[in-house]
PDB file of all heavy atoms in Angstrom:
ATOM      1  N   ASN A 551     -15.228   6.427 -10.827  1.00 97.00           N
ATOM      2  CA  ASN A 551     -16.459   5.696 -11.206  1.00 97.00           C
ATOM      3  C   ASN A 551     -16.617   4.300 -10.489  1.00 97.00           C
ATOM      4  O   ASN A 551     -17.717   3.922 -10.076  1.00 97.00           O
ATOM      5  CB  ASN A 551     -16.417   5.473 -12.699  1.00 97.00           C
ATOM      6  CG  ASN A 551     -16.709   6.798 -13.405  1.00 97.00           C
ATOM      7  OD1 ASN A 551     -17.270   7.749 -12.818  1.00 97.00           O
ATOM      8  ND2 ASN A 551     -16.259   6.908 -14.656  1.00 97.00           N
ATOM      9  N   GLN A 552     -15.467   3.638 -10.164  1.00 97.00           N
ATOM     10  CA  GLN A 552     -15.579   2.416  -9.498  1.00 97.00           C
ATOM     11  C   GLN A 552     -16.109   2.634  -8.017  1.00 97.00           C
ATOM     12  O   GLN A 552     -16.886   1.899  -7.448  1.00 97.00           O
ATOM     13  CB  GLN A 552     -14.223   1.627  -9.398  1.00 97.00           C
ATOM     14  CG  GLN A 552     -13.798   1.111 -10.766  1.00 97.00           C
ATOM     15  CD  GLN A 552     -12.461   0.494 -10.629  1.00 97.00           C
ATOM     16  OE1 GLN A 552     -12.237  -0.505  -9.985  1.00 97.00           O
ATOM     17  NE2 GLN A 552     -11.490   0.998 -11.290  1.00 97.00           N
ATOM     18  N   ALA A 553     -15.567   3.714  -7.401  1.00 96.00           N
ATOM     19  CA  ALA A 553     -15.912   3.993  -5.945  1.00 96.00           C
ATOM     20  C   ALA A 553     -17.354   4.488  -5.879  1.00 96.00           C
ATOM     21  O   ALA A 553     -18.009   4.195  -4.869  1.00 96.00           O
ATOM     22  CB  ALA A 553     -15.031   5.130  -5.478  1.00 96.00           C
ATOM     23  N   PHE A 554     -17.906   5.169  -6.921  1.00 95.00           N
ATOM     24  CA  PHE A 554     -19.297   5.662  -6.785  1.00 95.00           C
ATOM     25  C   PHE A 554     -20.229   4.888  -7.461  1.00 95.00           C
ATOM     26  O   PHE A 554     -21.512   5.265  -7.504  1.00 95.00           O
ATOM     27  CB  PHE A 554     -19.266   7.115  -7.301  1.00 95.00           C
ATOM     28  CG  PHE A 554     -18.663   8.034  -6.331  1.00 95.00           C
ATOM     29  CD1 PHE A 554     -17.426   8.517  -6.410  1.00 95.00           C
ATOM     30  CD2 PHE A 554     -19.496   8.537  -5.251  1.00 95.00           C
ATOM     31  CE1 PHE A 554     -16.848   9.422  -5.436  1.00 95.00           C
ATOM     32  CE2 PHE A 554     -18.877   9.511  -4.289  1.00 95.00           C
ATOM     33  CZ  PHE A 554     -17.624   9.803  -4.378  1.00 95.00           C
ATOM     34  N   ALA A 555     -19.938   3.763  -8.092  1.00 94.00           N
ATOM     35  CA  ALA A 555     -20.959   2.935  -8.854  1.00 94.00           C
ATOM     36  C   ALA A 555     -21.987   2.418  -7.984  1.00 94.00           C
ATOM     37  O   ALA A 555     -23.196   2.155  -8.412  1.00 94.00           O
ATOM     38  CB  ALA A 555     -20.170   1.818  -9.520  1.00 94.00           C
ATOM     39  N   ASP A 556     -21.697   2.117  -6.588  1.00 91.00           N
ATOM     40  CA  ASP A 556     -22.734   1.534  -5.689  1.00 91.00           C
ATOM     41  C   ASP A 556     -23.016   2.578  -4.656  1.00 91.00           C
ATOM     42  O   ASP A 556     -23.524   2.182  -3.502  1.00 91.00           O
ATOM     43  CB  ASP A 556     -22.183   0.257  -5.142  1.00 91.00           C
ATOM     44  CG  ASP A 556     -20.941   0.481  -4.222  1.00 91.00           C
ATOM     45  OD1 ASP A 556     -20.277   1.499  -4.381  1.00 91.00           O
ATOM     46  OD2 ASP A 556     -20.605  -0.514  -3.598  1.00 91.00           O
ATOM     47  N   TYR A 557     -22.836   3.882  -4.859  1.00 88.00           N
ATOM     48  CA  TYR A 557     -23.119   4.926  -3.904  1.00 88.00           C
ATOM     49  C   TYR A 557     -24.588   5.047  -3.628  1.00 88.00           C
ATOM     50  O   TYR A 557     -25.434   4.430  -4.427  1.00 88.00           O
ATOM     51  CB  TYR A 557     -22.616   6.195  -4.401  1.00 88.00           C
ATOM     52  CG  TYR A 557     -22.317   7.354  -3.463  1.00 88.00           C
ATOM     53  CD1 TYR A 557     -21.658   7.099  -2.217  1.00 88.00           C
ATOM     54  CD2 TYR A 557     -22.903   8.636  -3.618  1.00 88.00           C
ATOM     55  CE1 TYR A 557     -21.587   8.147  -1.196  1.00 88.00           C
ATOM     56  CE2 TYR A 557     -22.726   9.606  -2.753  1.00 88.00           C
ATOM     57  CZ  TYR A 557     -22.109   9.375  -1.592  1.00 88.00           C
ATOM     58  OH  TYR A 557     -21.995  10.394  -0.662  1.00 88.00           O
ATOM     59  N   ILE A 558     -25.030   5.751  -2.565  1.00 86.00           N
ATOM     60  CA  ILE A 558     -26.382   5.876  -2.235  1.00 86.00           C
ATOM     61  C   ILE A 558     -27.113   6.458  -3.556  1.00 86.00           C
ATOM     62  O   ILE A 558     -28.207   6.012  -3.752  1.00 86.00           O
ATOM     63  CB  ILE A 558     -26.493   6.929  -1.021  1.00 86.00           C
ATOM     64  CG1 ILE A 558     -25.898   6.214   0.141  1.00 86.00           C
ATOM     65  CG2 ILE A 558     -27.885   7.255  -0.775  1.00 86.00           C
ATOM     66  CD1 ILE A 558     -25.669   7.091   1.346  1.00 86.00           C
ATOM     67  N   LEU A 559     -26.478   7.432  -4.161  1.00 82.00           N
ATOM     68  CA  LEU A 559     -27.000   7.882  -5.412  1.00 82.00           C
ATOM     69  C   LEU A 559     -25.916   7.627  -6.500  1.00 82.00           C
ATOM     70  O   LEU A 559     -24.989   8.416  -6.674  1.00 82.00           O
ATOM     71  CB  LEU A 559     -27.241   9.410  -5.412  1.00 82.00           C
ATOM     72  CG  LEU A 559     -28.620   9.778  -4.625  1.00 82.00           C
ATOM     73  CD1 LEU A 559     -28.754  11.363  -4.694  1.00 82.00           C
ATOM     74  CD2 LEU A 559     -29.838   9.138  -5.299  1.00 82.00           C
ATOM     75  N   PRO A 560     -25.866   6.514  -7.046  1.00 81.00           N
ATOM     76  CA  PRO A 560     -24.811   6.162  -8.054  1.00 81.00           C
ATOM     77  C   PRO A 560     -24.715   7.143  -9.161  1.00 81.00           C
ATOM     78  O   PRO A 560     -25.596   7.692  -9.695  1.00 81.00           O
ATOM     79  CB  PRO A 560     -25.249   4.753  -8.585  1.00 81.00           C
ATOM     80  CG  PRO A 560     -26.324   4.250  -7.642  1.00 81.00           C
ATOM     81  CD  PRO A 560     -26.959   5.435  -7.022  1.00 81.00           C
ATOM     82  N   PHE A 561     -23.431   7.420  -9.464  1.00 86.00           N
ATOM     83  CA  PHE A 561     -23.185   8.417 -10.606  1.00 86.00           C
ATOM     84  C   PHE A 561     -21.877   8.125 -11.166  1.00 86.00           C
ATOM     85  O   PHE A 561     -20.972   7.539 -10.559  1.00 86.00           O
ATOM     86  CB  PHE A 561     -23.345   9.861 -10.222  1.00 86.00           C
ATOM     87  CG  PHE A 561     -22.417  10.321  -9.236  1.00 86.00           C
ATOM     88  CD1 PHE A 561     -21.274  10.958  -9.667  1.00 86.00           C
ATOM     89  CD2 PHE A 561     -22.692  10.144  -7.818  1.00 86.00           C
ATOM     90  CE1 PHE A 561     -20.391  11.480  -8.715  1.00 86.00           C
ATOM     91  CE2 PHE A 561     -21.750  10.735  -6.918  1.00 86.00           C
ATOM     92  CZ  PHE A 561     -20.654  11.312  -7.339  1.00 86.00           C
ATOM     93  N   GLN A 562     -21.666   8.486 -12.449  1.00 94.00           N
ATOM     94  CA  GLN A 562     -20.398   8.173 -13.174  1.00 94.00           C
ATOM     95  C   GLN A 562     -20.034   9.559 -13.903  1.00 94.00           C
ATOM     96  O   GLN A 562     -20.833  10.402 -14.281  1.00 94.00           O
ATOM     97  CB  GLN A 562     -20.672   7.210 -14.287  1.00 94.00           C
ATOM     98  CG  GLN A 562     -21.166   5.847 -13.638  1.00 94.00           C
ATOM     99  CD  GLN A 562     -20.048   5.039 -13.046  1.00 94.00           C
ATOM    100  OE1 GLN A 562     -19.339   4.333 -13.743  1.00 94.00           O
ATOM    101  NE2 GLN A 562     -19.954   5.136 -11.719  1.00 94.00           N
ATOM    102  N   LEU A 563     -18.702   9.681 -14.117  1.00 96.00           N
ATOM    103  CA  LEU A 563     -18.165  10.815 -14.728  1.00 96.00           C
ATOM    104  C   LEU A 563     -17.436  10.330 -16.046  1.00 96.00           C
ATOM    105  O   LEU A 563     -16.839   9.267 -16.061  1.00 96.00           O
ATOM    106  CB  LEU A 563     -17.162  11.673 -13.940  1.00 96.00           C
ATOM    107  CG  LEU A 563     -17.707  12.234 -12.603  1.00 96.00           C
ATOM    108  CD1 LEU A 563     -16.444  12.889 -11.920  1.00 96.00           C
ATOM    109  CD2 LEU A 563     -18.803  13.290 -12.795  1.00 96.00           C
TER     110      LEU A 563
END
Side-chain angles (χ1 to χ4, degrees):
N551 287 338
Q552 290 178 66
F554 283 99
D556 63 347
Y557 195 51
I558 296 167
L559 286 180
F561 64 97
Q562 302 284 280
L563 295 178

